[in-house]
Amino acid sequence: MTNTRKALLIVLLLAIAAPVTAQKSVDQIVKPRKKQSAAFYFKAQYNAPDIRFIPDIKADINRAKAMGVIGHSAIGFSLRIPVWRYIYIQPELYYSLLTNWDSAALQSNFLKQISYAFKNRECSYFDIPLNIGARWEPAKAFAARAYVGAMIRFQLAQGNFSLYENYLLRAGIGLDLLNFLTIDAGYGIEMNRLTIFDETGSYFLTLGIKL
């Protein structure tokens, strides 16, 4: 009986210890190695009709060099705010122009091209995405993210400032490298309330630098 009791005691201890050990392993995988901190980024975002970013960028360069790429891009800022464990929210603000980028590309140098594009703009866009995501940091030099969110757009045309009637539902994935550089890729589609508009989907590729 003594050996039986010892065996049962060992089995009981193992039964208690195994879930505790497993939970510690899960926590080490899921929880960040250290508490997340807020981060502020300067970002440049490229928008494309499909996920073939490199061919699309090459086509823009062949069409209008740097102005072709900038014509499908926006610049802005984002603030990552930790809320609980590995969960964060991230409000962003991007600015872009609607102008004749092909004509701007004909100017003599880059500064004159930008100046021409801005002076002859038809409309200015202010895009405001709000994302909620999860961030996993297995090492100090690397972190992976996944997020969903929505984006509203304000437009300024002929002195009139207005809110675009539809919004964009977006989802993306991202990488943080060396606690300095961030790379994102994702997809967005235009919606009105709960109605999805067909053929309005677009992809985005974003590079950010921590400030």
Side-chain angles (χ1 to χ4, degrees):
M1 284 295 290
T2 303
N3 291 335
T4 302
R5 289 178 180 176
K6 287 182 178 179
L8 290 173
L9 180 60
I10 291 172
V11 171
L12 180 60
L13 290 174
L14 289 174
I16 295 172
V20 173
T21 303
Q23 183 61 47
K24 287 183 179 179
S25 299
V26 170
D27 287 345
Q28 288 176 353
I29 293 173
V30 175
K31 290 182 181 179
R33 288 177 175 265
K34 61 180 180 179
K35 185 178 180 180
Q36 293 190 73
S37 58
F40 189 61
Y41 291 90
F42 171 76
K43 287 189 169 184
Q45 180 172 279
Y46 178 78
N47 300 294
D50 52 53
I51 203 169
R52 302 177 305 154
F53 293 114
I54 301 302
D56 289 335
I57 290 173
K58 287 182 178 179
D60 283 338
I61 292 174
N62 291 333
R63 179 178 61 85
K65 298 183 179 179
M67 294 300 103
V69 177
I70 294 174
H72 289 126
S73 301
I75 58 172
F77 299 91
S78 72
L79 176 61
R80 187 182 304 153
I81 307 170
V83 291
W84 180 72
R85 271 191 177 181
Y86 50 91
I87 304 299
Y88 68 89
I89 59 172
Q90 185 163 300
E92 300 181 318
L93 172 64
Y94 292 97
Y95 175 76
S96 59
L97 295 175
L98 176 62
T99 189
N100 191 329
W101 295 102
D102 293 318
S103 296
L106 299 176
Q107 306 305 306
S108 58
N109 58 58
F110 181 77
L111 292 178
K112 288 184 178 180
Q113 291 170 354
I114 292 294
S115 176
Y116 179 93
F118 187 78
K119 288 180 179 179
N120 293 277
R121 66 191 183 280
E122 298 176 26
C123 187
S124 294
Y125 296 121
F126 301 87
D127 295 330
I128 306 176
L130 178 61
N131 305 317
I132 180 169
R135 184 175 184 268
W136 175 50
E137 186 180 5
K140 291 182 179 180
F142 169 81
R145 293 176 288 103
Y147 55 91
V148 295
M151 185 185 85
I152 60 173
R153 164 171 283 184
F154 290 91
Q155 50 193 18
L156 178 62
Q158 298 179 347
N160 296 318
F161 196 70
S162 61
L163 173 65
Y164 187 62
E165 60 182 345
N166 301 328
Y167 69 95
L168 233 64
L169 185 65
R170 310 192 332 156
I173 56 175
L175 296 175
D176 297 337
L177 303 175
L178 302 175
N179 197 32
F180 170 72
L181 181 68
T182 181
I183 304 171
D184 292 82
Y187 177 78
I189 190 164
E190 193 170 315
M191 299 187 66
N192 187 302
R193 296 184 180 179
L194 297 179
T195 301
I196 299 176
F197 289 87
D198 295 332
E199 300 181 359
T200 59
S202 62
Y203 293 82
F204 60 88
L205 177 67
T206 307
L207 298 178
I209 299 175
K210 189 175 182 180
L211 299 177

